[in-house]
Amino acid sequence: MTDFVDGWILGHTLGEGAYGEVKLVINKATEEAVAMKMVDLSKHPDARRTVRKETTIHRMLSNPNIIQYFGQRSEKNMEYIFLEYASGGELFDKIEPDIGMPKWEAQKYFRQLISAVEYLHSRGVAHRDLKPENLLLDENDNLKVSDFGLATVYRLQGKERSLDTRCGTLPYVAPEVLERPYQAEPADIWSSGIILVALLAGELPWDQASAECPEYEAWKNGKYMSVTPWKKLDKFSLSLIKHILVHEPSRRFKISEIKKHAWFRDNFSEDGNPIERDVVDGLRAKRFHKDEEEVLMRTCLSQPELPGKETNGLSTFTIEERPGFSFSQPAHMEDLLLSTQLQTLAYTQTQTQTSLSTFQKMVRRMTRFFVKTECDTTVKRLISCLKKESYTYRINECGIITISSMDRRKMPLVFKINIHEMDGKILVDFRLSKGCGLEFKRRFLKIKEKVDDIIARDSSNHRQVS
């Protein structure tokens, strides 16, 4: 870790995306933390407009289930966006591949997701890239929607427009988005329904919602009950999903209807049986201040789809061309962080190390483990495993192993292995760079199984490690 500005330390990478990295930034005195998204404009000259649009939208939002925006700093060739740090990690990390999670837990996260989406729509904002990789968890295990890089304003001052940008991540994209134009709200609701399937079944139902996909055609024609993931789900769960994943947007459940459905309304106990409890209400939207409306009108409606490729007069964004950033604890510190005169703090080396060790333990993720072997031996075992699995990999000068592969859908899957010493032990930390989170989790579990003999049993549990 290195000093970023006086009194602040630049920590490890939290996530990556097409335009740069997201880093952890820690205050040495208070141990408060934020996520800092770094965009290198010299490498990505088209990113400036995207950043401007993303921050314009994000600063208008304030909801407990949406990552909080603190501010930004601009330099000659760099843009820094400061966001709430979600110390609970990514939601996809809690989904067991091909299994999912308990129904009561899926219900909890789905309720929070719907609350966030309802709030966004009340503000006239469409997210357009909802997926587990863009859903984070705070220290209290509450869901936080992140990554507004593809978000847009579709309703302002009572006027609503249709959208025509083909964007998102294919398995989560509504069928009408592939054809265009489309309405914003049903498209986000569709993506939420796919997320619910992933939570309950641990897999995605299809590669894309189009006639070219046999799995989707079977679903659309009602010939799906004997195949996975549907045969894993009980009739109660399916009764809600069948109302959300409806091909025609006009017939698809609205959020108000989702919230009235018994699966959403009645709480589940840990044994999977419903128990009575009040329905979870969405949050009422705040009104825009007049000058905020004017800013959004100029930024979003004059530049409705950024960045894009012109195709037949339409601005389009290639599906999966832009991998989502993973932002990952509340720190109400925008005035401190964005101040040009941050106070210099006199801290001893010992105190600083203690502080940083605390933060290294904060991020809770399952895709990491301690090992009993030394660093060199650990690297050799991992490389041997990667060779046997015919992975393409490379090691950089910092010792980070980058693995490139293809997932089940023949889409790129890239993840990294960081090996470093922490509290006198060797930590092996896997992190997704690009691709499907569930597929990444499958690969991690397979690699972990092959190096099982070197894992330190007393600390391999992710809740202890993290």
Side-chain angles (χ1 to χ4, degrees), residues 344-408:
T344 302
L345 300 168
Y347 246 66
T348 66
Q349 185 67 23
T350 302
Q351 287 171 314
T352 301
Q353 288 175 344
T354 300
S355 173
L356 298 185
S357 178
T358 300
F359 269 97
Q360 286 174 322
K361 294 179 180 178
M362 281 181 58
V363 188
R364 294 179 292 183
R365 291 191 293 109
M366 294 180 69
T367 52
R368 52 167 52 157
F369 49 80
F370 283 114
V371 291
K372 299 177 288 187
T373 48
E374 297 296 326
C375 185
D376 290 346
T377 304
T378 303
V379 171
K380 289 178 181 178
R381 281 296 308 273
L382 289 167
I383 294 301
S384 175
C385 175
L386 296 175
K387 287 180 178 178
K388 289 179 181 178
E389 294 296 316
S390 300
Y391 279 116
T392 300
Y393 68 90
R394 59 183 172 84
I395 306 177
N396 68 9
E397 63 277 5
C398 299
I400 299 173
I401 306 172
T402 300
I403 297 97
S404 301
S405 181
M406 304 293 286
D407 66 15
R408 296 179 179 182

Side-chain angles (χ1 to χ4, degrees), residues 101 122 152 177 239 276 280 297 302-303 352 441 457:
M101 62 176 63
S122 75
T152 194
V177 176
S239 67
E276 291 186 3
V280 176
M297 179 71 79
S302 64
Q303 304 172 4
T352 301
K441 189 81 171 292
R457 291 296 160 206

Side-chain angles (χ1 to χ4, degrees), residues 139-159:
E139 60 182 344
N140 298 313
D141 202 38
N142 290 312
L143 180 144
K144 301 272 185 175
V145 175
S146 73
D147 195 347
F148 287 81
L150 295 182
T152 194
V153 173
Y154 67 92
R155 185 181 64 249
L156 197 61
Q157 297 176 330
K159 297 180 180 180

